[in-house]
Amino acid sequence: MSELDYEPIPLPDRFDFSESEMRDRVSRYLDKIRKRHSVREYSDRPVPRDVIENCLRAAGTAPSGANHQPWHFVAVGDPAIKHQIRLAAEKEEQSFYGGKAGDQWLADLKKVGTDADKPYLDIAPWLIAIFAQRRGVDEVGAQRKNYYVPESVGIATGFLINALHEAGLVTLTHTPKPMNFLSEILGRPESERPFILLITGYPADDAVVPRYAKQKKPLEEIATFF
Ligand code: IYR
């Protein structure tokens, strides 16, 4: 940090839409975000790396505790590494679905229709492993504490999903449990915790989504106004 870093700068970007423009824009945004679906069947059609890079730049603009940006994204396009991830994830999922999850959780997942088989980890062109940094380093390499880490990384993940959707790609937020194998395979340090494995690419021609997944709670149920 230099002295200058403490000096605020005038708000660099400002939008001032009329109320009707605002209504129109947010309604178009709502239509667009309603077209986001979690997809489990992928095409192997390649997605250019520069598209993924810009989506990750978008994720990196997310707000975070003390602006420490406590995230790291590992984008895996290498088929051999994807396969290693698939084998390790399926091993965990087999014990999860084999009973470790417990009856209640397994009953809840029936509606989603998932199982231990994860072919998309081989097929999708990109797997993005998102890591949460419990602690980080400052500009001169000294250890520093991070704040609101799950909140910050969760918001960044939301930005990333939104950016990929904007690019016309589909995603799946996959959370094999436990996910420690990702740190080993991808060589991430102990100070980072695997947060989510995001699968992305084009949907397969015959991709389906669970009917249940499209039932979103109405506004009255998710919001209160005073
Ligand atoms: N991680 C497992 C199980 C799973 C858990 C939840 I909560 C879901 O919404 C979906 C799946 C899997 O990916 O199959």
Side-chain angles (χ1 to χ4, degrees):
M1 289 284 280
S2 78
E3 279 303 306
L4 255 185
D5 286 325
Y6 292 89
E7 201 55 48
I9 55 168
L11 177 64
D13 305 290
R14 198 184 284 268
F15 306 97
D16 190 0
F17 304 122
S18 70
E19 286 184 8
S20 84
E21 220 178 333
M22 218 181 240
R23 285 195 184 91
D24 194 51
R25 291 177 67 99
V26 79
S27 140
R28 275 187 281 122
Y29 177 76
L30 176 58
D31 288 343
K32 191 173 359 173
I33 202 67
R34 277 182 170 147
K35 294 187 166 71
R36 184 211 62 81
H37 312 287
S38 292
V39 169
R40 294 178 178 80
E41 288 121 347
Y42 284 79
S43 151
D44 61 1
R45 185 173 159 197
V47 169
R49 171 174 161 160
D50 62 290
V51 170
I52 302 299
E53 286 176 347
N54 260 355
C55 292
L56 293 174
R57 286 189 180 98
T61 68
S64 63
N67 192 33
H68 282 189
Q69 305 160 56
W71 42 65
H72 189 83
F73 303 94
V74 183
V76 182
D78 182 306
I81 305 176
K82 286 194 297 180
H83 191 61
Q84 247 185 301
I85 292 175
R86 176 180 180 182
L87 294 182
E90 286 183 337
K91 195 165 155 234
E92 298 296 359
E93 298 290 29
Q94 271 144 19
S95 60
F96 178 90
Y97 285 96
K100 207 167 131 196
D103 292 346
Q104 180 69 60
W105 198 345
L106 292 177
D108 283 339
L109 286 181
K110 280 231 164 63
K111 294 175 278 189
V112 188
T114 50
D115 59 29
D117 205 19
K118 306 296 181 195
Y120 49 74
L121 295 175
D122 273 326
I123 300 168
W126 292 102
L127 310 180
I128 305 174
I130 303 165
F131 289 87
Q133 301 177 327
R134 286 187 268 247
R135 29 179 214 288
V137 283
D138 66 12
E139 297 79 3
V140 295
Q143 290 269 340
R144 72 177 179 188
K145 220 171 118 48
N146 286 334
Y147 309 95
Y148 299 101
V149 172
E151 291 85 348
S152 304
V153 184
I155 296 168
T157 301
F159 277 34
L160 178 57
I161 293 170
N162 201 53
L164 291 162
H165 178 58
E166 184 69 27
L169 301 170
V170 294
T171 54
L172 179 69
T173 40
H174 180 42
T175 49
K177 202 170 142 65
M179 268 193 295
N180 313 359
F181 65 84
L182 282 177
S183 305
E184 278 160 46
I185 295 175
L186 302 173
R188 299 310 303 169
E190 173 278 328
S191 54
E192 293 180 3
R193 179 176 72 82
F195 185 72
I196 277 174
L197 181 59
L198 198 70
I199 289 86
T200 193
Y202 294 94
D205 288 340
D206 56 356
V208 296
V209 294
R211 194 181 297 273
Y212 166 75
K214 294 294 93 198
Q215 297 168 11
K216 298 300 184 193
K217 293 179 182 175
L219 180 67
E220 300 65 41
E221 222 176 295
I222 64 167
T224 304
F225 284 77
F226 285 112

